[in-house]
Structure formats: C-alpha cells, structure tokens
Amino acid sequence: MGALDLNRVAIAMGKVTLALDSLEPYIFDEDDVIEKKENLFAIAYMCRVGIIEVMEKSENHYMQNMSLPITIPLGIIKHRKETIGSALRLTIGRLYGIVTKCSEMEQYVDEILEGRGLYDLFETQCPTIRQTLFR
C-alpha cells in the first residue's frame, strides 16, 4: 500500500494546509486560540488520522525518511512539492505554532495528536468521520 498511503498523506497534508491558511490570519493571541478551539481540534484530528496514523503503519516505514519527496495538492491545479520533513513543519508544525499561544490548548492538541483524550471523544462522537475525511 506504499504509494497509495503516501498519496493519502499528501491529500491530508493539503487539506490541513488549506485549513490552517484560512484560520491562521484570524489568530493573534490566546483569546483567539480559545475562540477557534473547535477548528483547531478538528485540524489536530485530521493530522492524527490522515498523517500520523498512516505514517506509523509498519508497512510505511519508508515515510520516516524526512527527505522523501511528496507533492501536496492544494486545489484543482495547484500543488506544492516538499519533502516529508518540510511538509510536517507546514502542517503539524504550524498547528503547534498556533496553539503554543495557549498552554491549555497545547495540551489538548497534544492529546489528539498522540491518540488519547480528546481523540477518543472524536472517535466515539463521530464514528463515520474517519471514512469520509480524506476522500
């Protein structure tokens, strides 16, 4: 499933990048982070399900190579060529950059990205979201 999973990760990274692009201009301080917490939780969940879990699969060990090239789709004809390492900084790194303005939110996002706490709530409250998220 190697190439297919790499494509899934690229699609997830594209969706996360677009979501962060639309959200980031409106976040300046801790209050803004708290106000947009639902969006940030959803983006963190997208990162966990679409990027981290796929990369952690044993058959996808090659994705641990941070210089592996990846093409991230950003629209119908727009894309961005990156390495896995730089793409992770564009997605998960940017998300952390936003939530570090509020330590409480940082802890919640960590829980989601690590697959515990609020992540479990997403899984139980929205059982079908995983199947439809990155199609």
Side-chain angles (χ1 to χ4, degrees):
M1 283 250 249
L4 183 58
D5 279 343
L6 185 62
N7 188 49
R8 287 183 179 146
V9 168
I11 291 168
M13 287 178 167
K15 290 186 177 196
V16 167
T17 299
L18 292 173
L20 289 170
D21 287 347
S22 67
L23 188 65
E24 201 169 26
Y26 302 102
I27 298 179
F28 301 103
D29 58 16
E30 182 177 349
D31 293 334
D32 295 332
V33 171
I34 292 169
E35 182 181 321
K36 304 287 187 192
K37 69 181 176 183
E38 291 88 5
N39 299 65
L40 294 167
F41 292 160
I43 292 169
Y45 181 77
M46 289 170 54
C47 289
R48 175 67 195 175
V49 172
I51 301 170
I52 297 170
E53 286 183 5
V54 177
M55 290 180 70
E56 286 178 343
K57 288 182 185 177
S58 61
E59 65 266 18
N60 294 334
H61 65 283
Y62 68 94
M63 289 188 202
Q64 303 306 316
N65 177 2
M66 292 297 119
S67 61
L68 179 71
I70 188 167
T71 301
I72 303 169
L74 298 172
I76 294 175
I77 58 172
K78 188 176 177 185
H79 64 277
R80 185 171 182 163
K81 293 184 179 191
E82 296 287 338
T83 63
I84 288 282
S86 63
L88 288 171
R89 284 188 295 279
L90 284 172
T91 54
I92 297 171
R94 278 177 66 196
L95 176 61
Y96 269 120
I98 292 170
V99 298
T100 54
K101 296 173 182 166
C102 176
S103 61
E104 180 183 352
M105 286 292 296
E106 188 175 5
Q107 291 172 351
Y108 289 138
V109 168
D110 274 337
E111 283 182 10
I112 295 169
L113 292 175
E114 292 171 4
R116 58 184 176 80
L118 284 178
Y119 170 82
D120 295 329
L121 183 64
F122 268 95
E123 290 286 295
T124 56
Q125 296 295 319
C126 309
T128 59
I129 194 170
R130 179 183 287 272
Q131 289 80 28
T132 59
L133 198 55
F134 301 109
R135 292 184 189 260

